[in-house]
Protein backbone atom coordinates (compact mmCIF):
# COMPACT_ATOMS: atom_id res chain seq x y z
CA UNK A 1 0.00 0.00 0.00
CA UNK A 2 1.25 3.54 -0.68
CA UNK A 3 1.42 6.31 1.91
CA UNK A 4 -2.20 7.01 2.81
CA UNK A 5 -3.56 10.54 2.83
CA UNK A 6 -5.37 11.87 5.88
CA UNK A 7 -8.74 11.23 4.23
CA UNK A 8 -7.81 7.68 3.15
CA UNK A 9 -6.54 6.82 6.62
CA UNK A 10 -9.67 8.24 8.24
CA UNK A 11 -11.93 6.17 5.97
CA UNK A 12 -10.06 2.97 6.72
CA UNK A 13 -10.01 3.54 10.48
CA UNK A 14 -13.75 4.26 10.53
CA UNK A 15 -14.37 0.96 8.76
CA UNK A 16 -12.32 -0.94 11.34
CA UNK A 17 -14.04 0.75 14.29
CA UNK A 18 -17.42 -0.23 12.87
CA UNK A 19 -16.56 -3.89 13.55
CA UNK A 20 -15.87 -3.28 17.25
CA UNK A 21 -18.08 -4.71 20.01
CA UNK A 22 -15.79 -3.62 22.85
CA UNK A 23 -16.56 -0.97 25.47
CA UNK A 24 -13.68 1.08 24.06
CA UNK A 25 -11.63 0.57 20.92
CA UNK A 26 -8.62 2.30 19.39
CA UNK A 27 -7.17 1.65 15.95
CA UNK A 28 -3.70 2.75 14.87
CA UNK A 29 -2.30 2.78 11.36
CA UNK A 30 1.39 3.18 10.50
CA UNK A 31 3.18 3.01 7.18
CA UNK A 32 6.43 4.00 5.55
CA UNK A 33 8.25 3.78 2.25
CA UNK A 34 11.77 4.71 1.36
CA UNK A 35 15.14 3.34 0.43
CA UNK A 36 18.74 2.98 1.45
CA UNK A 37 22.19 2.42 0.08
CA UNK A 38 25.13 1.00 2.02
CA UNK A 39 28.75 1.06 0.99
CA UNK A 40 32.01 -0.35 2.34
CA UNK A 41 35.59 -0.64 1.04
CA UNK A 42 34.77 2.24 -1.32
CA UNK A 43 32.06 0.28 -3.14
CA UNK A 44 28.29 -0.09 -2.79
CA UNK A 45 27.45 -3.34 -1.02
CA UNK A 46 23.65 -3.24 -0.73
CA UNK A 47 20.75 -1.07 -1.81
CA UNK A 48 17.01 -1.43 -1.55
CA UNK A 49 13.54 0.03 -1.20
CA UNK A 50 11.18 -0.72 1.66
CA UNK A 51 7.43 -0.26 1.94
CA UNK A 52 5.43 -1.33 4.99
CA UNK A 53 1.97 -0.71 6.42
CA UNK A 54 0.51 -2.17 9.61
CA UNK A 55 -2.70 -1.75 11.55
CA UNK A 56 -3.18 -2.32 15.26
CA UNK A 57 -6.44 -2.68 17.20
CA UNK A 58 -6.77 -2.30 20.97
CA UNK A 59 -10.05 -3.44 22.50
CA UNK A 60 -11.00 -2.69 26.10
CA UNK A 61 -13.51 -4.21 28.51
CA UNK A 62 -13.41 -2.46 31.87
CA UNK A 63 -9.69 -2.22 32.56
CA UNK A 64 -8.81 -5.27 30.51
CA UNK A 65 -7.15 -4.50 27.16
CA UNK A 66 -5.97 -6.63 24.26
CA UNK A 67 -4.08 -5.62 21.12
CA UNK A 68 -3.76 -7.40 17.79
CA UNK A 69 -1.97 -6.29 14.61
CA UNK A 70 -2.27 -7.13 10.95
CA UNK A 71 -0.87 -6.15 7.56
CA UNK A 72 -3.80 -7.31 5.44
CA UNK A 73 -6.58 -4.90 4.56
CA UNK A 74 -9.49 -6.76 2.99
CA UNK A 75 -12.75 -6.63 4.93
CA UNK A 76 -12.45 -10.18 6.28
CA UNK A 77 -8.94 -9.50 7.61
CA UNK A 78 -10.02 -6.23 9.23
CA UNK A 79 -12.91 -7.88 11.05
CA UNK A 80 -10.68 -10.78 12.07
CA UNK A 81 -8.11 -8.53 13.75
CA UNK A 82 -10.85 -6.73 15.70
CA UNK A 83 -12.27 -10.03 16.94
CA UNK A 84 -8.80 -11.23 17.89
CA UNK A 85 -8.12 -8.09 19.95
CA UNK A 86 -11.43 -8.59 21.75
CA UNK A 87 -10.55 -12.20 22.55
CA UNK A 88 -7.19 -11.13 23.95
CA UNK A 89 -8.80 -8.41 26.05
CA UNK A 90 -11.16 -10.92 27.68
CA UNK A 91 -8.17 -13.12 28.58
CA UNK A 92 -6.02 -10.28 29.91
CA UNK A 93 -5.75 -9.33 33.59
CA UNK A 94 -7.13 -5.94 34.59
CA UNK A 95 -4.64 -3.12 34.27
CA UNK A 96 -4.85 -0.95 37.42
CA UNK A 97 -3.20 1.93 35.55
CA UNK A 98 -5.53 1.90 32.56
CA UNK A 99 -6.93 5.31 31.60
CA UNK A 100 -10.12 5.82 29.55
CA UNK A 101 -9.53 6.82 25.96
CA UNK A 102 -9.43 10.48 25.00
CA UNK A 103 -12.17 12.27 23.09
CA UNK A 104 -11.89 14.51 20.01
CA UNK A 105 -9.14 17.09 19.67
CA UNK A 106 -8.27 19.42 16.81
CA UNK A 107 -4.54 18.93 16.22
CA UNK A 108 -2.73 21.53 14.08
CA UNK A 109 -1.09 20.18 10.94
CA UNK A 110 2.62 19.52 11.35
CA UNK A 111 5.47 20.67 9.09
CA UNK A 112 7.23 17.29 9.08
CA UNK A 113 6.60 16.53 5.39
CA UNK A 114 9.01 17.66 2.67
CA UNK A 115 8.39 17.04 -1.02
CA UNK A 116 12.11 17.06 -1.91
CA UNK A 117 12.83 14.14 0.40
CA UNK A 118 9.70 12.28 -0.64
CA UNK A 119 10.86 12.48 -4.28
CA UNK A 120 14.19 10.72 -3.67
CA UNK A 121 14.94 7.79 -5.98
CA UNK A 122 17.55 5.02 -6.19
CA UNK A 123 19.33 7.17 -8.77
CA UNK A 124 19.47 10.23 -6.50
CA UNK A 125 20.78 8.13 -3.61
CA UNK A 126 23.45 6.64 -5.88
CA UNK A 127 24.53 10.12 -7.04
CA UNK A 128 24.89 11.29 -3.43
CA UNK A 129 26.99 8.26 -2.51
CA UNK A 130 29.13 8.69 -5.64
CA UNK A 131 30.02 12.21 -4.44
CA UNK A 132 31.04 10.78 -1.08
CA UNK A 133 33.19 8.07 -2.64
CA UNK A 134 34.93 10.55 -4.93
CA UNK A 135 36.42 12.18 -1.83
CA UNK A 136 37.81 9.04 -0.23
CA UNK A 137 39.14 7.58 -3.47
CA UNK A 138 41.01 10.78 -4.27
CA UNK A 139 42.44 10.90 -0.74
CA UNK A 140 43.38 7.19 -0.88
CA UNK A 141 41.15 6.43 2.08
CA UNK A 142 38.58 3.70 2.57
CA UNK A 143 34.97 4.64 3.27
CA UNK A 144 32.00 2.83 4.79
CA UNK A 145 28.69 4.64 4.91
CA UNK A 146 24.93 4.48 4.95
CA UNK A 147 22.32 6.73 3.34
CA UNK A 148 18.63 6.24 4.08
CA UNK A 149 15.46 8.17 3.34
CA UNK A 150 11.91 7.46 4.40
CA UNK A 151 8.44 8.92 4.11
CA UNK A 152 6.03 7.77 6.79
CA UNK A 153 2.56 8.34 8.13
CA UNK A 154 0.74 7.48 11.32
CA UNK A 155 -2.89 7.79 12.33
CA UNK A 156 -5.04 6.85 15.31
CA UNK A 157 -8.81 6.82 15.85
CA UNK A 158 -10.86 5.63 18.80
CA UNK A 159 -14.45 5.00 19.73
CA UNK A 160 -14.55 8.23 21.76
CA UNK A 161 -14.13 10.32 18.60
CA UNK A 162 -10.38 11.02 18.69
CA UNK A 163 -8.63 11.16 15.31
CA UNK A 164 -5.04 12.21 14.62
CA UNK A 165 -2.87 11.98 11.51
CA UNK A 166 0.70 12.88 10.65
CA UNK A 167 2.88 12.51 7.58
CA UNK A 168 6.60 13.21 7.54
CA UNK A 169 9.95 12.23 6.18
CA UNK A 170 13.61 12.09 7.00
CA UNK A 171 16.99 11.48 5.39
CA UNK A 172 20.11 10.41 7.28
CA UNK A 173 23.71 9.96 6.19
CA UNK A 174 26.78 8.68 8.00
CA UNK A 175 30.27 7.88 6.78
CA UNK A 176 33.42 6.50 8.39
CA UNK A 177 36.80 6.90 6.69
CA UNK A 178 39.97 4.90 7.41
CA UNK A 179 43.52 5.10 6.09
CA UNK A 180 45.08 2.14 4.32
CA UNK A 181 46.99 1.09 7.41
CA UNK A 182 43.84 1.15 9.53
CA UNK A 183 45.53 3.39 12.10
CA UNK A 184 43.42 6.53 11.62
CA UNK A 185 39.71 7.20 11.33
CA UNK A 186 37.26 10.02 10.69
CA UNK A 187 33.48 10.27 10.87
CA UNK A 188 30.58 12.50 9.88
CA UNK A 189 26.81 12.14 10.31
CA UNK A 190 23.92 14.34 9.21
CA UNK A 191 20.14 14.14 9.29
CA UNK A 192 17.54 16.42 7.72
CA UNK A 193 13.87 16.69 6.90
CA UNK A 194 14.75 18.38 3.58
CA UNK A 195 17.27 16.42 1.51
CA UNK A 196 18.37 19.60 -0.29
CA UNK A 197 20.23 20.52 2.92
CA UNK A 198 22.28 17.31 2.85
CA UNK A 199 25.73 17.70 1.26
CA UNK A 200 27.38 14.28 1.21
CA UNK A 201 30.46 15.70 -0.52
CA UNK A 202 31.11 18.28 2.21
CA UNK A 203 30.36 15.82 5.02
CA UNK A 204 32.77 13.24 3.61
CA UNK A 205 35.47 15.90 3.26
CA UNK A 206 35.08 16.56 6.98
CA UNK A 207 35.39 12.84 7.77
CA UNK A 208 38.38 12.50 5.44
CA UNK A 209 40.07 15.51 7.02
CA UNK A 210 39.65 13.98 10.47
CA UNK A 211 41.19 10.74 9.25
CA UNK A 212 44.16 12.34 7.48
CA UNK A 213 44.88 14.43 10.58
CA UNK A 214 44.71 11.48 12.96
CA UNK A 215 47.83 9.59 11.89
CA UNK A 216 50.58 9.30 14.46
CA UNK A 217 48.37 9.82 17.49
CA UNK A 218 50.25 10.48 20.74
CA UNK A 219 49.31 9.26 24.19
CA UNK A 220 48.29 11.75 26.88
CA UNK A 221 47.89 10.93 30.53
CA UNK A 222 44.27 10.38 31.63
CA UNK A 223 42.82 13.07 33.87
CA UNK A 224 40.56 16.10 33.85
CA UNK A 225 40.80 18.29 30.75
CA UNK A 226 39.07 21.22 29.12
CA UNK A 227 37.17 19.55 26.29
CA UNK A 228 35.43 20.78 23.16
CA UNK A 229 32.66 18.38 22.17
CA UNK A 230 31.56 18.57 18.56
CA UNK A 231 27.75 18.33 18.12
CA UNK A 232 27.87 14.60 17.25
CA UNK A 233 29.86 13.84 20.40
CA UNK A 234 27.61 16.01 22.56
CA UNK A 235 24.51 14.34 21.09
CA UNK A 236 25.70 10.84 21.98
CA UNK A 237 26.41 11.89 25.56
CA UNK A 238 23.39 14.07 26.26
CA UNK A 239 20.57 12.03 24.75
CA UNK A 240 20.54 9.99 27.94
CA UNK A 241 19.09 12.96 29.87
CA UNK A 242 16.25 13.92 27.52
CA UNK A 243 13.30 11.95 28.96
CA UNK A 244 12.37 14.41 31.73
CA UNK A 245 9.94 11.83 33.13
CA UNK A 246 8.06 12.87 36.28
CA UNK A 247 7.23 9.37 37.50
CA UNK A 248 10.78 8.04 37.55
CA UNK A 249 11.88 11.28 39.22
CA UNK A 250 9.19 11.09 41.90
CA UNK A 251 9.91 7.41 42.53
CA UNK A 252 13.60 8.15 43.12
CA UNK A 253 14.89 6.46 39.97
CA UNK A 254 16.20 9.46 38.05
CA UNK A 255 18.82 12.20 38.01
CA UNK A 256 15.81 14.50 38.46
CA UNK A 257 14.99 12.89 41.82
CA UNK A 258 15.64 14.92 44.97
CA UNK A 259 17.40 13.26 47.87
CA UNK A 260 14.86 12.51 50.57
CA UNK A 261 11.94 12.56 48.12
CA UNK A 262 10.40 14.79 45.51
CA UNK A 263 11.88 16.09 42.28
CA UNK A 264 14.24 18.83 41.18
CA UNK A 265 11.49 20.68 39.34
CA UNK A 266 12.12 24.40 39.75
CA UNK A 267 15.72 23.89 40.85
CA UNK A 268 18.92 25.15 39.22
CA UNK A 269 20.19 21.91 37.69
CA UNK A 270 22.91 23.11 35.29
CA UNK A 271 24.68 26.25 34.08
CA UNK A 272 22.39 29.23 33.28
CA UNK A 273 23.59 29.17 29.66
CA UNK A 274 21.65 25.90 29.13
CA UNK A 275 18.21 26.17 27.52
CA UNK A 276 16.57 22.97 26.29
CA UNK A 277 13.10 22.79 24.79
CA UNK A 278 10.88 20.90 22.36
CA UNK A 279 8.84 22.52 19.60
CA UNK A 280 6.90 20.60 16.92
CA UNK A 281 7.12 23.63 14.63
CA UNK A 282 10.88 24.10 14.71
CA UNK A 283 11.80 24.52 11.04
CA UNK A 284 15.09 22.59 11.31
CA UNK A 285 13.76 19.72 13.41
CA UNK A 286 9.95 19.48 13.21
CA UNK A 287 7.93 16.78 14.95
CA UNK A 288 4.39 15.47 15.09
CA UNK A 289 1.88 17.71 16.88
CA UNK A 290 0.51 14.78 18.91
CA UNK A 291 1.95 11.99 21.01
CA UNK A 292 1.28 8.29 20.59
CA UNK A 293 -1.49 8.32 23.18
CA UNK A 294 -3.27 11.26 21.54
CA UNK A 295 -2.05 14.15 23.69
CA UNK A 296 -1.28 17.43 21.88
CA UNK A 297 2.35 18.54 21.66
CA UNK A 298 3.23 22.21 22.04
CA UNK A 299 6.44 24.15 22.52
CA UNK A 300 7.70 23.21 25.99
CA UNK A 301 10.70 24.47 27.93
CA UNK A 302 12.35 21.62 29.82
CA UNK A 303 15.38 23.53 31.08
CA UNK A 304 15.29 27.34 31.10
CA UNK A 305 18.48 29.20 32.05
CA UNK A 306 19.63 26.01 33.77
CA UNK A 307 16.42 25.58 35.80
CA UNK A 308 14.19 22.50 35.42
CA UNK A 309 10.92 24.03 34.19
CA UNK A 310 8.77 21.01 33.26
CA UNK A 311 8.53 17.25 33.67
CA UNK A 312 6.51 14.97 31.42
CA UNK A 313 3.44 13.32 32.97
CA UNK A 314 1.67 10.32 31.51
CA UNK A 315 -2.11 10.45 31.76
CA UNK A 316 -2.11 7.90 34.58
CA UNK A 317 0.59 9.60 36.62
CA UNK A 318 -0.93 13.04 36.04
CA UNK A 319 -4.30 11.78 37.27
CA UNK A 320 -2.67 10.20 40.32
CA UNK A 321 -0.85 13.44 41.16
CA UNK A 322 -3.69 15.80 40.28
CA UNK A 323 -1.82 17.66 37.53
CA UNK A 324 -2.26 18.19 33.80
CA UNK A 325 -0.75 15.45 31.60
CA UNK A 326 2.23 16.53 29.51
CA UNK A 327 3.67 14.26 26.81
CA UNK A 328 7.40 13.73 26.54
CA UNK A 329 9.37 15.69 23.95
CA UNK A 330 8.85 14.89 20.28
CA UNK A 331 12.14 16.62 19.50
CA UNK A 332 14.97 18.20 21.46
CA UNK A 333 16.50 21.59 20.76
CA UNK A 334 19.35 23.00 22.80
CA UNK A 335 20.04 26.67 22.24
CA UNK A 336 23.57 27.59 21.25
CA UNK A 337 25.67 30.70 20.86
CA UNK A 338 27.18 32.56 17.92
CA UNK A 339 30.65 31.00 18.06
CA UNK A 340 31.83 28.54 15.43
CA UNK A 341 33.72 25.38 16.31
CA UNK A 342 36.88 27.16 15.15
CA UNK A 343 36.12 30.04 17.54
CA UNK A 344 35.85 27.61 20.45
CA UNK A 345 39.21 26.10 19.52
CA UNK A 346 40.84 29.54 19.24
CA UNK A 347 39.61 30.45 22.73
CA UNK A 348 41.23 27.37 24.32
CA UNK A 349 44.70 27.59 25.84
CA UNK A 350 44.99 23.86 26.50
CA UNK A 351 42.34 21.24 25.83
CA UNK A 352 41.09 18.30 23.80
CA UNK A 353 38.81 18.28 20.76
CA UNK A 354 36.46 15.27 20.71
CA UNK A 355 34.86 14.42 17.36
CA UNK A 356 32.72 11.50 18.45
CA UNK A 357 31.89 9.24 21.39
CA UNK A 358 30.69 5.64 21.28
CA UNK A 359 29.97 2.49 23.31
CA UNK A 360 28.28 4.62 25.95
CA UNK A 361 26.90 2.76 28.94
CA UNK A 362 25.04 3.84 32.06
CA UNK A 363 26.96 3.57 35.33
CA UNK A 364 24.52 5.28 37.73
CA UNK A 365 21.01 6.40 36.65
CA UNK A 366 20.53 8.66 39.68
CA UNK A 367 23.59 10.80 38.91
CA UNK A 368 23.45 9.99 35.18
CA UNK A 369 27.08 8.89 35.31
CA UNK A 370 28.08 7.43 31.94
CA UNK A 371 31.16 5.71 30.57
CA UNK A 372 32.32 5.32 26.99
CA UNK A 373 35.12 5.96 24.53
CA UNK A 374 36.28 8.67 22.16
CA UNK A 375 36.82 7.72 18.51
CA UNK A 376 37.21 8.93 14.93
CA UNK A 377 39.44 11.91 15.62
CA UNK A 378 40.63 13.17 19.02
CA UNK A 379 43.06 16.08 19.08
CA UNK A 380 45.17 18.09 21.52
CA UNK A 381 44.68 21.87 21.51
CA UNK A 382 47.33 24.35 22.63
CA UNK A 383 47.27 28.15 22.40
CA UNK A 384 44.12 28.11 20.29
CA UNK A 385 45.38 25.64 17.68
CA UNK A 386 45.13 21.91 17.09
CA UNK A 387 48.67 20.69 17.77
CA UNK A 388 48.51 16.93 17.20
CA UNK A 389 46.20 13.89 17.26
CA UNK A 390 46.00 11.89 20.47
CA UNK A 391 45.08 8.33 21.35
CA UNK A 392 41.54 7.67 22.41
CA UNK A 393 40.33 7.83 26.00
CA UNK A 394 37.72 6.14 28.11
CA UNK A 395 35.63 8.75 29.87
CA UNK A 396 33.52 8.71 33.05
CA UNK A 397 31.23 11.70 33.07
CA UNK A 398 27.69 12.81 33.82
CA UNK A 399 25.93 15.21 31.43
CA UNK A 400 24.56 16.98 34.50
CA UNK A 401 28.01 17.58 35.96
CA UNK A 402 29.32 18.41 32.49
CA UNK A 403 26.68 21.09 31.96
CA UNK A 404 27.63 22.63 35.29
CA UNK A 405 31.18 22.96 33.96
CA UNK A 406 30.07 24.64 30.76
CA UNK A 407 32.29 27.47 29.50
CA UNK A 408 30.90 28.26 26.05
CA UNK A 409 28.40 27.13 23.41
CA UNK A 410 28.73 27.31 19.64
CA UNK A 411 26.17 27.41 16.84
CA UNK A 412 23.65 24.57 17.06
CA UNK A 413 23.59 21.88 14.37
CA UNK A 414 21.23 19.03 13.57
CA UNK A 415 23.07 15.83 14.44
CA UNK A 416 21.99 12.21 14.46
CA UNK A 417 22.71 9.43 16.90
CA UNK A 418 23.19 6.17 15.02
CA UNK A 419 22.47 4.31 18.26
CA UNK A 420 18.95 5.67 18.70
CA UNK A 421 18.40 6.83 15.08
CA UNK A 422 17.12 10.15 16.41
CA UNK A 423 18.11 13.66 15.37
CA UNK A 424 18.75 16.54 17.76
CA UNK A 425 19.62 20.23 17.46
CA UNK A 426 22.72 20.46 19.64
CA UNK A 427 25.57 23.03 19.67
CA UNK A 428 29.27 22.29 20.08
CA UNK A 429 30.28 22.97 23.65
CA UNK A 430 33.37 23.80 25.63
CA UNK A 431 33.57 22.01 28.99
CA UNK A 432 36.13 22.31 31.79
CA UNK A 433 37.27 19.40 33.96
CA UNK A 434 35.93 16.63 31.75
CA UNK A 435 37.04 13.28 33.19
CA UNK A 436 39.10 10.83 31.12
CA UNK A 437 39.80 7.71 33.18
CA UNK A 438 42.09 5.61 30.95
CA UNK A 439 43.65 5.26 27.51
CA UNK A 440 42.27 3.13 24.67
CA UNK A 441 44.28 1.68 21.79
CA UNK A 442 41.18 1.48 19.58
CA UNK A 443 41.17 3.77 16.54
Amino acid sequence: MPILTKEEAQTLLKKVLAYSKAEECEVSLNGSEGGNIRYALNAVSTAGDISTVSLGVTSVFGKKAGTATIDEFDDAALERVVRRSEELAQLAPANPEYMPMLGPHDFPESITYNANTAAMTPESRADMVAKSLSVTKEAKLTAAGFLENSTSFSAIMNSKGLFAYNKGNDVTFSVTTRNEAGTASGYAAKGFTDVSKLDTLASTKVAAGKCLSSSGAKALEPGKYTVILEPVAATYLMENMFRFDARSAEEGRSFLSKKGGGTRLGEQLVDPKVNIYSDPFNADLPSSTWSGDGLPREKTMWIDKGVVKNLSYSRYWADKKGVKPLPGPGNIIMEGGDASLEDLIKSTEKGILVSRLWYIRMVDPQSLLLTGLTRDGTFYIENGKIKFPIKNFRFNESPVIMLNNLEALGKQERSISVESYRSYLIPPMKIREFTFSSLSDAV
Side-chain angles (χ1 to χ4, degrees):
M1 293 176 66
I3 299 297
L4 298 186
T5 66
K6 182 176 183 179
E7 293 72 21
E8 290 170 335
Q10 193 169 27
T11 298
L12 178 57
L13 295 177
K14 284 181 178 178
K15 177 188 288 189
V16 177
L17 276 177
Y19 292 119
S20 175
K21 298 178 181 178
E23 294 172 11
E24 290 185 315
C25 183
E26 180 178 274
V27 188
S28 62
L29 186 61
N30 297 277
S32 67
E33 59 183 14
N36 62 76
I37 183 167
R38 186 184 299 276
Y39 54 109
L41 300 176
N42 283 349
V44 172
S45 54
T46 60
D49 284 280
I50 302 171
S51 178
T52 62
V53 182
S54 64
L55 183 141
V57 180
T58 297
S59 296
V60 180
F61 297 91
K63 290 193 171 186
K64 300 166 63 175
T67 300
T69 61
I70 200 167
D71 59 4
E72 300 175 90
F73 297 92
D74 59 87
D75 289 354
L78 295 176
E79 183 173 10
R80 186 167 64 249
V81 73
V82 173
R83 296 285 89 82
R84 180 57 175 160
S85 71
E86 292 170 349
E87 293 169 2
L88 292 171
Q90 297 288 12
L91 294 171
N95 178 6
E97 297 186 4
Y98 177 77
M99 294 296 294
M101 294 180 181
L102 293 169
H105 188 89
D106 187 17
F107 300 100
E109 187 173 349
S110 73
I111 58 170
T112 53
Y113 179 78
N114 181 271
N116 292 328
T117 307
M120 288 181 68
T121 63
E123 290 76 17
S124 64
R125 289 192 293 270
D127 288 342
M128 297 173 77
V129 167
K131 291 177 181 177
S132 172
L133 289 174
S134 70
V135 174
T136 51
K137 289 178 180 178
E138 183 178 349
K140 294 182 170 53
L141 301 174
T142 300
F146 188 61
L147 173 68
E148 182 177 33
N149 68 282
S150 66
T151 299
S152 62
F153 79 97
S154 56
I156 58 172
M157 181 182 288
N158 69 29
S159 53
K160 295 287 188 69
L162 177 73
F163 173 69
Y165 174 89
N166 189 75
K167 181 170 68 171
N169 38 36
D170 212 6
V171 56
T172 59
F173 170 72
S174 61
V175 59
T176 301
T177 60
R178 291 284 180 101
N179 62 3
E180 292 180 349
T183 57
S185 179
Y187 177 81
K190 295 291 182 181
F192 296 99
T193 302
D194 183 353
V195 69
S196 66
K197 296 181 179 180
L198 175 59
D199 188 338
T200 56
L201 180 69
S203 294
T204 308
K205 284 182 177 180
V206 170
K210 297 278 188 186
C211 181
L212 293 170
S213 302
S214 294
S215 296
K218 301 178 182 181
L220 287 187
E221 285 296 317
K224 291 183 179 293
Y225 288 87
T226 293
V227 163
I228 296 174
L229 297 176
E230 295 195 20
V232 168
T235 292
Y236 275 50
L237 189 61
M238 291 183 59
E239 68 176 342
N240 292 276
M241 69 178 291
F242 291 150
R243 284 188 62 208
F244 303 111
D245 178 60
R247 182 171 186 174
S248 60
E250 292 176 0
E251 291 181 341
R253 299 182 285 111
S254 164
F255 71 99
L256 293 168
S257 303
K258 185 187 293 185
K259 289 184 179 180
T263 75
R264 301 192 67 179
L265 183 66
E267 289 188 6
Q268 189 81 37
L269 179 72
V270 291
D271 188 278
K273 291 188 285 293
V274 177
N275 295 287
I276 298 174
Y277 65 95
S278 56
D279 181 5
F281 292 103
N282 182 280
D284 293 317
L285 187 64
S287 75
S288 172
T289 57
W290 49 277
S291 66
D293 56 358
L295 289 172
R297 281 198 172 115
E298 300 172 343
K299 183 175 181 178
T300 303
M301 290 299 303
W302 301 102
I303 296 180
D304 185 15
K305 296 182 176 63
V307 176
V308 182
K309 297 296 287 188
N310 282 291
L311 297 176
S312 65
Y313 282 82
S314 68
R315 292 182 59 226
Y316 167 75
W317 200 247
D319 182 70
K320 183 179 178 68
K321 297 296 178 177
V323 300
K324 182 181 178 181
L326 179 64
N331 57 8
I332 286 289
I333 301 111
M334 180 174 175
E335 292 181 359
D338 296 325
S340 65
L341 180 64
E342 291 72 23
D343 292 333
L344 295 181
I345 294 171
K346 288 178 183 178
S347 70
T348 304
E349 183 178 350
K350 289 184 179 181
I352 292 173
L353 174 66
V354 177
S355 301
R356 186 186 176 197
L357 302 172
W358 77 297
Y359 204 61
I360 297 174
R361 295 294 182 267
M362 184 71 70
V363 177
D364 177 20
Q366 290 185 315
S367 65
L368 211 62
L369 181 64
L370 305 169
T371 189
L373 300 165
T374 66
R375 68 175 297 179
D376 296 323
T378 309
F379 303 91
Y380 180 67
I381 302 168
E382 189 173 275
N383 296 324
K385 295 182 179 179
I386 293 177
K387 299 296 287 186
F388 50 78
I390 60 176
K391 287 191 173 182
N392 287 308
F393 284 112
R394 171 169 291 280
F395 70 86
N396 286 283
E397 192 59 83
S398 163
V400 178
I401 296 173
M402 179 185 83
L403 291 178
N404 274 289
N405 292 330
L406 179 65
E407 290 196 356
L409 295 170
K411 297 176 182 177
Q412 63 179 199
E413 296 180 15
R414 180 166 168 172
S415 298
I416 63 167
S417 167
V418 294
E419 293 195 6
S420 65
Y421 292 97
R422 290 194 64 181
S423 291
Y424 303 89
L425 275 178
I426 301 288
M429 52 191 71
K430 183 177 175 180
I431 308 292
R432 63 182 176 271
E433 297 185 356
F434 191 94
T435 304
F436 292 116
S437 55
S438 62
L439 286 170
S440 169
D441 288 325
V443 175

